[in-house]
Amino acid sequence: MDFGDVNSDFTMCDLINPHPKRTRKLFSLIADYTNFYRVAAQVFEKTSSEYDHARLAIEEGMEKNEIQHLSKGVVKSPVRVRNDVDEQRSIIKRLQESCDAERQRILDNNESMSVIEQVSKLLGERQKELERLRDAQAELNLLHHECANSEAQVAEASKYKTQREEALNRLVKLGEEEERSHRRALEVFSTRLQDLRMRKEDLISIMDSLRKNAPTIRDESVQLRNEMVRLRNERTEETELARRYCLELRSRFFDLLEKYHKAEKIFDAQAKAFSETIQNISMGLDDIELAAGDNSSLSD
């Protein structure tokens, strides 16, 4: 991943309106930087601690030498001074060697840091390739989905085709049946037509005979008409007589009905009087029985 990419800057738009690809890219940058920092921090801390220890050792050695030099005071013999100088030179040489070793180690660490950066760049490139592969996989999945949809549509089309073929076969069968029924109807119609033609010929012959016998038939029809007029007149007279007789019977019926109502009222009055008389007689008999009972009790 290239940390110097201008599109890798994190802004407020990434929080307000995030985009999936850009967010994934920023997260990959953060993850790569975290991995790089984890490795580089260990190397840097180790190198810094070693450098600090070496610097402290050099400072302590210089302080010890200065203290020894001051404590000795005046140099007593040149041999001792020479020995001290040689010893100091050897110490300085060892310190220089240790500093060179530390410097070389720092250079090696810098080289390792550059290697780590190159590795992180390679990892970023591999991450991009993985993203491209993911996109290709997504496109492949979409193609598979479209292929499945196409296969389903083909299956539906074949099913629809079979249904249409079955419907067409049914229509053909219905057409054949209709044709057979039409033929039967045509045969029936032809026979019916022949019968009608025969009846037409019979009617024509009858009409011819009627035309020949028309005068006699006309006379008979006139006679029948006169007879019908006579019968209608007689019927009118009989109807009038019947109506009068009905009116007379109706008036007699109403008279009899009125007499019946009057007789019914008289009967109701007589029945009421008879029931009252019976009640009075029964009450009188009850009184007589009571009186007879009282007399018998007194005689006893």
Side-chain angles (χ1 to χ4, degrees), residues 213-230:
N213 299 322
T216 57
I217 293 170
R218 192 178 296 111
D219 294 335
E220 290 178 358
S221 63
V222 170
Q223 290 177 1
L224 288 171
R225 191 180 294 111
N226 294 328
E227 186 68 22
M228 288 177 68
V229 170
R230 186 179 63 77

Side-chain angles (χ1 to χ4, degrees), residues 195-211:
D195 293 335
L196 290 173
R197 285 175 180 173
M198 293 174 67
R199 289 184 65 185
K200 181 181 178 182
E201 292 176 356
D202 294 336
L203 289 172
I204 289 169
S205 62
I206 291 167
M207 289 293 291
D208 292 334
S209 63
L210 287 173
R211 286 194 188 95

Side-chain angles (χ1 to χ4, degrees), residues 32-200:
D32 293 338
Y33 179 74
T34 304
N35 295 326
F36 170 75
Y37 178 76
R38 189 182 298 113
V39 176
Q42 292 176 0
V43 176
F44 181 75
E45 288 176 358
K46 183 178 179 181
T47 305
S48 298
S49 62
E50 290 176 355
Y51 180 76
D52 291 334
H53 288 306
R55 185 171 57 80
L56 291 172
I58 291 169
E59 289 178 356
E60 288 177 357
M62 291 176 68
E63 288 178 357
K64 287 180 180 179
N65 291 327
E66 187 176 357
I67 291 168
Q68 289 177 1
H69 181 70
L70 292 172
S71 63
K72 288 178 181 179
V74 181
V75 178
K76 295 180 180 180
S77 63
V79 177
R80 188 175 179 180
V81 171
R82 192 180 297 111
N83 292 329
D84 291 335
V85 170
D86 293 334
E87 187 178 357
Q88 291 295 326
R89 284 178 180 174
S90 63
I91 291 169
I92 290 168
K93 188 175 181 181
R94 287 196 300 272
L95 290 173
Q96 286 179 354
E97 289 176 356
S98 63
C99 288
D100 292 334
E102 291 296 330
R103 190 179 294 108
Q104 186 65 33
R105 188 179 296 173
I106 290 168
L107 292 173
D108 294 335
N109 289 329
N110 289 327
E111 290 178 358
S112 64
M113 293 286 286
S114 63
V115 170
I116 289 169
E117 289 179 357
Q118 292 176 0
V119 169
S120 64
K121 288 181 180 180
L122 291 173
L123 288 173
E125 292 176 357
R126 295 295 181 273
Q127 187 70 25
K128 288 181 180 179
E129 291 179 357
L130 285 173
E131 289 179 357
R132 288 195 294 271
L133 289 173
R134 288 194 190 97
D135 295 334
Q137 185 68 30
E139 292 178 357
L140 185 61
N141 292 328
L142 289 173
L143 290 174
H144 283 302
H145 185 66
E146 290 178 357
C147 184
N149 291 329
S150 300
E151 290 177 355
Q153 290 177 359
V154 169
E156 290 179 357
S158 62
K159 185 177 179 181
Y160 180 73
K161 183 180 178 181
T162 54
Q163 291 177 357
R164 294 291 293 176
E165 288 177 354
E166 291 176 357
L168 185 61
N169 293 326
R170 288 196 295 270
L171 288 173
V172 169
K173 290 180 181 179
L174 289 173
E176 291 176 354
E177 292 178 357
E178 289 290 334
E179 186 178 359
R180 288 194 292 270
S181 63
H182 182 68
R183 287 178 181 175
R184 289 194 295 270
L186 185 61
E187 292 175 356
V188 172
F189 179 74
S190 61
T191 55
R192 181 72 175 171
L193 184 61
Q194 290 178 0
D195 293 335
L196 290 173
R197 285 175 180 173
M198 293 174 67
R199 289 184 65 185
K200 181 181 178 182

Side-chain angles (χ1 to χ4, degrees), residues 1 3 7-10 14-15 18-35 127 131:
M1 183 64 68
F3 291 98
N7 294 322
S8 62
D9 294 335
F10 184 77
D14 295 321
L15 294 175
H19 294 283
K21 289 186 177 180
R22 182 175 173 81
T23 305
R24 193 184 302 115
K25 187 175 181 181
L26 290 172
F27 283 161
S28 64
L29 285 171
I30 293 169
D32 293 338
Y33 179 74
T34 304
N35 295 326
Q127 187 70 25
E131 289 179 357

Side-chain angles (χ1 to χ4, degrees), residues 229-242:
V229 170
R230 186 179 63 77
L231 291 172
R232 186 174 59 191
N233 293 328
E234 291 178 356
R235 183 180 177 184
T236 303
E237 292 175 357
E238 290 177 357
T239 304
E240 184 66 24
L241 291 173

